[in-house]
Amino acid sequence: MSLAPLSTDHSTELYDLARRYIPGGVNSPVRAFKGVGGNPLFFKAGEGAYLIDADDNRYVDYVCGWGPFILGHCHPAIINALQLQLKRGLGYGASTEAEVEIAEKICNILPSIESVRLVSSGTEATMSAIRVARGFTRRDKVVKFEGCYHGHVDSLLVKAGSGALTMGEPDSLGVPRAFTDLTYVLPFNDSDAVENLFARHGDEIACLIVEPVAGNMNLVPPQAGFLETLREVCDRHGSVLIFDEVMTGFRVALGGAQSIYNIKPDLTTLGKVIGGGLPVGAFGGRKDIMDCLAPDGPVYQAGTLSGNPLAVTAGLATLKEISKPGFYDQLGRQTQKLLAGLQQRADAAGVPFTTNQAGAMFGCFFSDEKTVSHFDQVMACNLDNFKTFFHTMLDNGIYLAPSAYEAGFVSAAHLDRELELTLDAAEKAFSAVASGNQ
Ligand code: HOZ
């Protein structure tokens, strides 16, 4: 692994060219490295726990495609299954047996889901879940939480996390005021704020959508009692509780965050892991709510690529692998080992630092606080320290998300060797942070 700054000339050339033809040179804003400075990398291959950039540099990858590559890149089970499907066609614009198989599997793994519809992205999943919740309740108001991100749905792009936070624009231009007037935004992990809002407006609220483990303001798990409060107020007021598990579903545990915290949402949105890295999303839940969808009900929702056979094939192959006994124990152990090692090196360098973990997702915070559980604490973290850490890690062959507001991901391909490489790099990165602070 290189110790000198890596040469990334070819990435830089590609970025220059990309900026001529693609807005900002990227197809999704966080990729532009605006949160860390410098030029974004362009990649040409992935192998297990590694990414290879356009200049042939190898990196241990903790982005994992922003979550889906829980088995690592190019897992043979997925590639073999896709090769078989490729010969049978890329799509039919009609129903397939494999769609029924994946729907049945999802319903069996997540007992809160009685009926599920496949779409092509997480954004589509949350947008459709909100629509069916509104149709079911015949109400318009929606509740979301500050720093939570549910894709770029108009009414949810209010005080949003992820790229919206990275760009410093948690509210987007182009979203009509009339749409966001229907959205209430509350602080995450603040049960009193939830109780108060529902006491005043509960009967107008169609649904409350939450990332049960917030993964778009770095990683912030729910505090004890928070998700229980959400369940109670929604029950009391006849509002639909939506868990956005696009990131956490099949990631923090096989049964997602809802299985860890033992809360049954009315609807769940999914994506990422269930497509094995191909574009997919899904939303599902109570049958009486899902029955409102067309063709049986009056809520319209559709998609040309929905249930695409390649995405479903990759998803089924992934579900088979991750359902094997002990899979999540091993992932959780590796993630824990990684975080313990990072903490130890930060402490040795005298850098204020703390971490959060949920299964194979993690958050790193340059903060004096022992625990980070609120949006304001995330926003108070030292960004300069993060930038120094990020770039030193990158120069030493470790690819972290290029933003202080994104979660990290560990895959089954992150073995002890990859952790060692990471911790060696981290020693240098924390020492660079400490020197920068002198
Ligand atoms: N929304 C993703 C992070 N939470 C970023 C997706 C991307 O830039 O590819």
Side-chain angles (χ1 to χ4, degrees), residues 27-31 65-66 149 162-163 215-216 247 272 405-407:
N27 281 315
S28 193
V30 186
R31 300 177 194 180
W66 303 98
Y149 177 72
S162 187
N216 285 287
M247 282 173 112
K272 301 197 191 264
Y405 307 118
E406 300 289 345

Side-chain angles (χ1 to χ4, degrees), residues 68 70-71 78 273-277 313-323:
I70 194 165
L71 299 172
I78 298 183
V273 171
I274 52 156
T313 297
L316 279 170
T318 304
L319 288 184
K320 194 165 167 201
E321 293 300 314
I322 64 181
S323 301

Side-chain angles (χ1 to χ4, degrees), residues 229-246:
T229 301
L230 305 187
R231 182 63 279 174
E232 276 161 32
V233 292
C234 284
D235 283 344
R236 208 181 305 144
H237 294 276
S239 308
V240 174
L241 176 62
I242 306 174
F243 273 9
D244 179 349
E245 296 230 45
V246 169

Side-chain angles (χ1 to χ4, degrees), residues 28-88:
S28 193
V30 186
R31 300 177 194 180
F33 273 40
K34 296 278 185 223
V36 288
N39 288 335
L41 293 178
F42 282 63
F43 292 101
K44 63 179 185 190
E47 285 171 17
Y50 296 86
L51 281 177
I52 293 116
D53 74 10
D55 294 86
D56 284 320
N57 300 304
R58 280 170 75 82
Y59 305 85
V60 180
D61 175 24
Y62 289 100
V63 177
C64 292
W66 303 98
F69 295 109
I70 194 165
L71 299 172
H73 295 278
C74 289
H75 190 279
I78 298 183
I79 302 300
N80 293 340
L82 283 175
Q83 273 163 352
L84 287 179
Q85 179 56 43
L86 275 173
K87 292 183 193 140
R88 295 193 209 109

Side-chain angles (χ1 to χ4, degrees), residues 219-385:
L219 185 87
V220 180
Q223 286 183 311
F226 179 62
L227 298 177
E228 285 79 355
T229 301
L230 305 187
R231 182 63 279 174
E232 276 161 32
V233 292
C234 284
D235 283 344
R236 208 181 305 144
H237 294 276
S239 308
V240 174
L241 176 62
I242 306 174
F243 273 9
D244 179 349
E245 296 230 45
V246 169
M247 282 173 112
T248 52
F250 306 96
R251 227 318 148 183
V252 296
L254 183 64
Q258 55 196 269
S259 71
I260 298 179
Y261 297 101
N262 201 21
I263 304 287
K264 206 170 171 182
D266 300 308
L267 293 178
T268 300
T269 59
L270 297 167
K272 301 197 191 264
V273 171
I274 52 156
L278 289 182
V280 105
F283 65 104
R286 272 169 47 188
K287 195 159 174 1
D288 56 341
I289 302 177
M290 294 299 286
D291 280 349
C292 294
L293 286 172
D296 287 349
V299 176
Y300 198 71
Q301 184 279 329
T304 300
L305 293 174
S306 297
N308 172 267
L310 285 173
V312 169
T313 297
L316 279 170
T318 304
L319 288 184
K320 194 165 167 201
E321 293 300 314
I322 64 181
S323 301
K324 290 180 179 165
F327 180 82
Y328 286 90
D329 297 337
Q330 166 69 7
L331 266 186
R333 267 196 304 274
Q334 289 301 92
T335 311
Q336 215 169 2
K337 226 191 273 184
L338 170 72
L339 298 186
L342 289 175
Q343 189 67 59
Q344 200 181 38
R345 280 149 186 86
D347 293 347
V351 173
F353 178 82
T354 191
T355 62
N356 279 336
Q357 180 186 358
M361 285 174 78
F362 64 89
C364 294
F365 303 90
F366 288 88
S367 168
D368 290 317
E369 316 245 17
K370 281 257 166 306
T371 47
V372 174
S373 43
H374 292 96
F375 179 72
D376 294 347
Q377 292 173 296
V378 175
M379 296 313 285
C381 287
N382 188 321
L383 272 187
D384 289 334
N385 285 359

